[in-house]
């Protein structure tokens, strides 16, 4: 297990933990990663299953660029559940914040303000690099519905 995202201030914590490949050795599912979203606070603790593709990892990389520029992002926003939104700075709390909306499965929404140390975005980039090293993309889509192993 490796964390793709780990945001914590000691009181509140948000993680996306990679558990492994969905179906190792099976095209086209080899590159899909089984993950879990973990939320912990003094008020709520939750866990959700989430499947990620290489495109989702690319999306998280882009999201980190937007956050570094001070913007807010919506990651996993393609009608899957949960929807994960991250604010570089929530004005009300004057901290970064994470919103997790699991409308499709549980109808539950969680908002976590997090007092994060400077450099938190760089820490997330390191976690993303670690995930990509551990589970590199090995499947190539050559045409719609056609897959082969990368050379």
């Amino acid at each position: 297990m490796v964390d793709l995202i780990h945001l914590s201030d000691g009181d509140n914590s948000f993680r996306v933990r990679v558990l492994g490949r969905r179906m190792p050795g099976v095209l086209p599912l080899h590159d899909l990663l089984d993950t879990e979203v973990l939320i912990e606070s003094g008020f709520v603790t939750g866990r959700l299953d989430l499947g990620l593709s290489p495109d989702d990892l690319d999306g998280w990389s882009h999201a980190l660029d937007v956050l570094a520029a001070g913007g807010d992002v919506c990651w996993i926003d393609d009608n899957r559940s949960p929807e994960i939104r991250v604010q570089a700075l929530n004005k009300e709390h004057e901290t970064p914040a994470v919103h997790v909306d699991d409308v499709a499965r549980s109808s539950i929404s969680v908002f976590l303000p997090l007092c994060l140390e400077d450099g938190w975005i760089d820490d997330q980039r390191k976690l993303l690099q670690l995930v990509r090293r551990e589970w590199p993309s090995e499947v190539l889509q050559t045409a719609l519905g056609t897959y082969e192993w990368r050379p």
Side-chain angles (χ1 to χ4, degrees), residues 5 7 14 58-77 83-89 97-101 120-121:
I5 303 171
L7 302 173
F14 172 78
D58 293 342
W60 180 237
S61 178
H62 175 70
L64 290 170
D65 293 340
V66 172
L67 289 165
D72 300 337
V73 297
C74 184
W75 182 59
I76 310 295
D77 60 351
E83 178 183 88
I84 298 168
R85 290 174 285 148
V86 182
Q87 293 178 291
L89 180 64
V98 176
H99 302 257
V100 179
D101 293 316
W120 67 271
I121 294 172

Side-chain angles (χ1 to χ4, degrees), residues 6 13 15 17 39 46 49 58 62 66 75 77 83 88-89 93 96 99 104-105 109 121-122 135 140:
H6 185 187
S13 174
R15 289 181 179 203
R17 180 175 290 158
I39 299 168
D49 293 324
D58 293 342
H62 175 70
V66 172
W75 182 59
D77 60 351
E83 178 183 88
L89 180 64
H93 295 276
H99 302 257
R105 291 186 275 182
S109 180
I121 294 172
D122 290 333
W135 294 284
L140 179 66

Side-chain angles (χ1 to χ4, degrees), residues 4 20 32 34 40 44 47-48 51-52 60-61 65 67-68 83 88 90 96 106-107 123-124 133 135 137-139 141:
L4 171 64
L32 297 181
D34 285 328
E40 296 178 8
V44 66
R47 181 191 169 284
L48 296 167
L52 295 179
W60 180 237
S61 178
D65 293 340
L67 289 165
E83 178 183 88
N90 176 275
S106 67
S107 297
D123 293 341
Q124 302 317 298
R133 273 195 312 270
W135 294 284
S137 179
E138 297 175 332
V139 176
Q141 184 173 1

